Amino acid sequence: MTLIQFEYIIAVDNYRHFGKAAESCFVTQPTLSMQIHKMEEQLGVMIFDRSKQPVVPTDVGKRIIAQARLALSESKKIKELVAEEKGEVAGELSIGIIPTLSPYLLPLFISNFIEKYPNVKIKVEELKTNEILKKLKNELLDLGLIVTPLNDPGLITKPVFYEEFYAYVSHRSSLYNEDKLHVEELPANEIWLLNEGHCFRDQVLNLCHTYEDKDTQFKYESGSLEALKKIVDKNGGFTLLPELATLDFDKNSKSKLRSFVDPKPVREVSIIMHRSYLKRKLVEALHTEILNAIPDYINIQKHGEVIKWK
């Protein structure tokens, strides 16, 4: 058995398709299939059930793939240990970032990071939290930039900063004339939400305990905070926004922002990684560049009530 064969069976398990797996490994499908068949002959068992679409691993195949993941991960540590010893900040870094962070956080630090570390090749994917967690566990991502806390013993969480929740309020809303808001007094029938699958939606619902999904003439849920902001402008009501999303507001938009009384609701933004991940120099470099890029008034220490999303 070879590490290449391990890569191939892991790829098939990830994509559940021999063609896509071969493409991800930069080989032809016949080459990948031949190597997997050779491994199955050596072991005397079938790793994949090819009669099903999409292809699935057999029971013993699941155990073999799990061991292959472990072996491949351990083998990669050799190069990473050498790089760590030399103090190098180099290599490839694949990052998953959630949609409610991506357009606001990435532009703040990514250019400086690339300029400062020319030997680091970065690939960023915008994904929902559960997709990031799945890809991290399958080692299809190195790091995630998500909202925590996260109760998962297989992952390491490194908090970076805490940003406040703000209400973005229409002048027609009952909240408009309030200076500061109380969470328990938010009118649930006026709120506009992100669609399901976004952790920020879950956090907002955890804040608005009285919210009920009602049958109304016009119902709108979006995957974009910017779209919700425009809906508030045109249709009234309010939505909640994370602090970073308000940085570029003009004077008119800022006039519609309302903060909360203490303890202010905040969300914890963290770097997460698999416990076996070794490129700690890269993690520290990313952590430092983010801290250098965010405004000074966004707190790097816990300063309010962290709202959970799970």
Side-chain angles (χ1 to χ4, degrees):
M1 290 179 292
T2 67
L3 294 177
I4 292 294
Q5 288 172 325
F6 289 171
E7 287 184 4
Y8 291 171
I9 65 171
I10 289 169
V12 174
D13 185 48
N14 287 339
Y15 292 97
R16 300 298 170 97
H17 189 279
F18 278 83
K20 292 178 181 178
E23 187 178 339
S24 74
C25 295
F26 304 102
V27 296
T28 64
Q29 183 173 334
T31 298
L32 178 136
S33 297
M34 180 186 69
Q35 286 295 327
I36 292 177
H37 182 66
K38 185 177 178 181
M39 184 176 175
E40 289 175 325
E41 283 188 332
Q42 290 174 329
L43 295 173
V45 297
M46 297 296 292
I47 299 174
F48 295 103
D49 183 349
R50 294 161 174 79
S51 68
K52 296 181 179 178
Q53 292 297 327
V55 65
V56 295
T58 61
D59 288 341
V60 68
K62 292 176 183 177
R63 293 161 62 190
I64 292 170
I65 292 165
Q67 192 63 38
R69 288 187 188 278
L70 181 61
L72 201 59
S73 176
E74 292 298 316
S75 72
K76 289 178 180 177
K77 289 182 180 180
I78 296 173
K79 287 184 179 179
E80 293 175 6
L81 283 169
V82 173
E84 286 284 305
E85 182 66 23
K86 293 179 179 178
E88 296 177 352
V89 181
E92 295 186 358
L93 189 62
S94 57
I95 302 172
I97 185 170
I98 57 176
T100 56
L101 267 179
S102 178
Y104 313 112
L105 181 60
L106 272 181
L108 295 180
F109 77 88
I110 199 67
S111 294
N112 287 339
F113 186 92
I114 292 170
E115 184 177 346
K116 191 170 183 178
Y117 301 103
N119 295 322
V120 179
K121 186 177 181 181
I122 297 180
K123 178 184 177 183
V124 179
E125 289 185 73
E126 186 177 291
L127 301 164
K128 292 180 181 179
T129 301
N130 286 331
E131 294 171 323
I132 291 174
L133 299 181
K134 183 178 179 180
K135 286 201 168 192
L136 277 174
K137 291 177 180 179
N138 288 333
E139 299 188 357
L140 296 174
L141 288 174
D142 293 320
L143 307 174
L145 280 167
I146 70 167
V147 169
T148 51
L150 186 69
N151 185 23
D152 192 321
L155 298 172
I156 295 173
T157 299
K158 186 178 180 65
V160 185
F161 61 89
Y162 297 82
E163 58 176 337
E164 294 181 22
F165 285 72
Y166 282 86
Y168 183 76
V169 180
S170 166
H171 67 277
R172 288 175 280 170
S173 169
S174 58
L175 300 176
Y176 188 77
N177 293 323
E178 300 292 331
D179 182 32
K180 288 199 173 185
L181 306 181
H182 296 262
V183 168
E184 61 274 10
E185 295 177 1
L186 292 176
N189 62 322
E190 292 186 21
I191 194 167
W192 299 97
L193 295 169
L194 289 174
N195 50 29
E196 291 186 8
H198 291 274
C199 58
F200 192 74
R201 171 195 171 95
D202 296 333
Q203 287 179 303
V204 170
L205 291 178
N206 282 340
L207 275 174
C208 301
H209 301 295
T210 59
Y211 176 79
E212 292 182 12
D213 191 4
K214 296 178 180 178
D215 184 19
T216 57
Q217 185 180 4
F218 175 50
K219 180 179 179 180
Y220 178 78
E221 293 181 356
S222 172
S224 163
L225 293 174
E226 299 303 315
L228 294 182
K229 177 175 173 286
K230 290 179 180 179
I231 284 291
V232 170
D233 290 337
K234 297 294 184 182
N235 292 79
F238 74 98
T239 193
L240 296 188
L241 300 173
E243 193 168 3
L244 281 183
T246 70
L247 296 187
D248 294 330
F249 275 15
D250 58 24
K251 185 176 180 181
N252 180 54
S253 293
K254 285 181 179 178
S255 71
K256 300 175 185 177
L257 287 178
R258 299 292 181 272
S259 61
F260 289 87
V261 299
D262 292 327
K264 298 180 187 295
V266 299
R267 70 172 185 170
E268 179 182 79
V269 176
S270 300
I271 297 171
I272 62 166
M273 69 203 90
H274 197 277
R275 284 202 168 274
S276 64
Y277 188 70
L278 262 192
K279 298 178 186 176
R280 302 306 162 91
K281 291 282 185 183
L282 277 174
V283 176
E284 288 303 323
L286 182 67
H287 185 267
T288 299
E289 288 306 308
I290 292 174
L291 288 184
N292 289 341
I294 60 175
D296 292 338
Y297 55 82
I298 291 184
N299 217 306
I300 62 171
Q301 301 294 330
K302 182 178 176 181
H303 64 290
E305 181 184 355
V306 175
I307 305 302
K308 297 180 180 180
W309 63 272
K310 294 187 82 174

